[in-house]
Amino acid sequence: MLISIRSMKKSIFLAVFLMLLIMNISRACPVIDSVNVTPSTCLYTTDGSLVINISGGTGPFQFSIDGGLTMSVSNTFTNLAPGTYFIVVESSLPCTVIDTVTVGASSFLSASAIASSITGFMPLTVDFTNASFEFTGSVWDFGDGTGTMTAIDTSHTFTAAGTYNVILTVTDGSCTSTATVIITVSDT
């Protein structure tokens, strides 16, 4: 089978054209080089941030950290809570790149309180256990006007009928977290 020179020229032209087209499309797509993440100070704060660093592609670019639901011309996002963010970068040509990044927290302080009983008749004595993580200090407020206690675990006697919000506040030096236990005391 003989291949004509004209047919060969068309094949070479088509191959070169496709190669140039692929090269131009790949140049139009940006590459996410890195994402600089600043963690939130505390587990429940929204002071984290991230900066998306890209190279290549054809601008202008748009950026998103919610999977493309909202787009921004800025590659910097602030006031972020700890969590996973779904990055989308779009170029001016129809090209989109995606990635995920996690913003952590510098402190994982989380208050947790356990009561031996949450209902009973007066006088009701309740043992409280501080089941918090990574704390350095704690304060119990029993909600009955008797003051506070700085012990890790403690007992308290409720002498009047009522509903009491017992609040445990823990700290690690930079963050604070609270847990509430509701105690209901009935008349005898």
Side-chain angles (χ1 to χ4, degrees):
M1 178 162 153
L2 295 173
I3 299 176
S4 71
I5 293 180
R6 175 178 259 173
S7 172
M8 197 182 308
K9 284 182 180 180
K10 284 182 181 179
S11 296
I12 291 171
F13 174 77
L14 182 59
V16 170
F17 175 76
L18 288 175
M19 185 174 75
L20 290 173
L21 180 64
I22 291 170
M23 287 174 48
N24 283 335
I25 289 174
S26 67
R27 286 187 192 135
C29 293
V31 173
I32 299 174
D33 294 323
S34 63
V35 180
N36 299 339
V37 177
T38 302
S40 289
T41 305
C42 303
L43 194 57
Y44 303 106
T45 59
T46 57
D47 59 350
S49 66
L50 62 87
V51 178
I52 304 166
N53 301 302
I54 62 170
S55 63
T58 303
F61 301 101
Q62 291 192 341
F63 303 86
S64 172
I65 59 169
D66 61 8
L69 295 175
T70 56
M71 302 300 289
S72 170
V73 295
S74 175
N75 66 331
T76 301
F77 297 86
T78 59
N79 302 317
L80 302 178
T84 300
Y85 293 88
F86 301 95
I87 296 172
V88 174
V89 180
E90 290 182 352
S91 69
S92 61
L93 297 177
C95 186
T96 301
V97 292
I98 59 173
D99 200 355
T100 59
V101 66
T102 300
V103 173
S106 297
S107 169
F108 294 98
L109 177 69
S110 180
S112 179
I114 300 170
S116 61
S117 177
I118 58 169
T119 61
F121 295 101
M122 61 179 221
L124 177 64
T125 299
V126 180
D127 296 323
F128 293 97
T129 303
N130 183 340
S132 306
F133 294 100
E134 299 188 14
F135 66 96
T136 57
S138 60
V139 176
W140 293 93
D141 182 342
F142 302 104
D144 61 358
T146 60
T148 59
M149 173 77 68
T150 58
I152 294 174
D153 299 328
T154 190
S155 290
H156 186 75
T157 301
F158 297 90
T159 58
T163 301
Y164 301 97
N165 290 323
V166 177
I167 300 172
L168 169 64
T169 303
V170 294
T171 183
D172 64 1
S174 62
C175 298
T176 301
S177 181
T178 60
T180 302
V181 178
I182 299 173
I183 306 293
T184 304
V185 180
S186 301
D187 288 332
T188 54

